[in-house]
């Protein structure tokens, strides 16, 4: 496994969905309820494992002084009081746009032209950058507590 199992027990799908809702809703110009539903569907698929792995890599790079156990304790402490609070809305950039496109492709709201673009070498690089960007955002959101 590319991340400790405990991370998946702490950063559950509802926790991660709620952290991403404001950015997704803003990027798609939809309400938060619709954004939550779409994100829940998208993260039920194959993206989930990759997103947690990217989040773990970003956490390890962001908080180098903590070992695995203390880093996971920091996530626990951050989520302890309000685990389902919304994250902050991020301004979109090319990496965020690629991550949003990955989610849209997963749930079928993106067209065939978008799928073809994302299947190119450049598209795969952008999706990797988008996953890393989303992982860094989640790493920050999940470790900013006590």
């Amino acid at each position: 496994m590319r991340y400790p199992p405990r991370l998946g027990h702490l950063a559950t799908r509802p926790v991660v969905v709620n952290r991403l809702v404001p950015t997704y809703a803003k990027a798609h110009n939809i309400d938060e309820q619709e954004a939550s539903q779409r994100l829940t569907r998208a993260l039920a698929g194959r993206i989930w494992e990759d997103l947690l792995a990217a989040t773990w890599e970003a956490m390890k790079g962001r908080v180098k002084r903590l070992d695995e156990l203390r880093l996971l304790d920091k996530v626990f402490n951050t989520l302890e009081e309000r685990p389902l609070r919304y994250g902050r809305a991020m301004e979109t950039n090319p990496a965020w746009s690629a991550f949003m496109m990955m989610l849209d492709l997963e749930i079928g709201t993106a067209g065939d032209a978008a799928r073809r673009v994302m299947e190119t070498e450049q598209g795969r690089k952008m999706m990797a950058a988008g996953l890393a960007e989303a992982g860094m955002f989640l790493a920050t959101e999940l470790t900013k507590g006590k």
Side-chain angles (χ1 to χ4, degrees), residues 14-115:
V15 167
V16 171
V17 164
N18 281 4
R19 293 306 196 275
L20 295 173
V21 159
T23 301
Y24 190 88
K26 181 179 175 183
H28 288 78
N29 199 25
I30 58 176
D31 66 35
E32 291 174 341
Q33 182 178 2
E34 176 70 18
S36 179
Q37 290 171 353
R38 288 184 187 185
L39 284 164
T40 298
R41 286 191 351 245
L43 295 178
R46 61 181 172 77
I47 294 174
W48 176 248
E49 295 291 326
D50 293 337
L51 183 57
L52 281 185
T55 301
W56 182 246
E57 284 303 311
M59 278 183 195
K60 290 190 312 184
R62 185 173 179 274
V63 190
K64 293 182 185 207
R65 69 185 187 282
L66 298 179
D67 63 14
E68 182 176 305
L69 182 59
R70 287 195 285 196
L71 186 52
L72 291 168
D73 285 344
K74 187 163 183 60
V75 173
F76 173 79
N77 290 332
T78 299
L79 297 175
E80 187 173 31
E81 290 181 26
R82 293 183 54 212
L84 297 178
R85 76 168 187 77
Y86 282 163
R88 68 188 188 286
M90 299 297 294
E91 291 298 319
T92 56
N93 60 32
W96 268 112
S97 294
F99 179 68
M100 298 294 163
M101 184 61 63
M102 285 176 64
L103 297 170
D104 292 343
L105 287 168
E106 185 69 20
I107 60 174
T109 58
D112 286 336
R115 181 176 307 281

Side-chain angles (χ1 to χ4, degrees), residues 6-18:
R6 185 173 176 214
L7 180 62
H9 294 290
L10 295 169
T12 62
R13 281 181 177 87
V15 167
V16 171
V17 164
N18 281 4

Side-chain angles (χ1 to χ4, degrees), residues 124-141:
R124 286 189 293 277
K125 286 180 184 176
M126 286 307 299
M127 286 192 299
L131 205 50
E133 183 87 9
M136 181 57 75
F137 169 76
L138 288 172
T140 302
E141 285 286 313

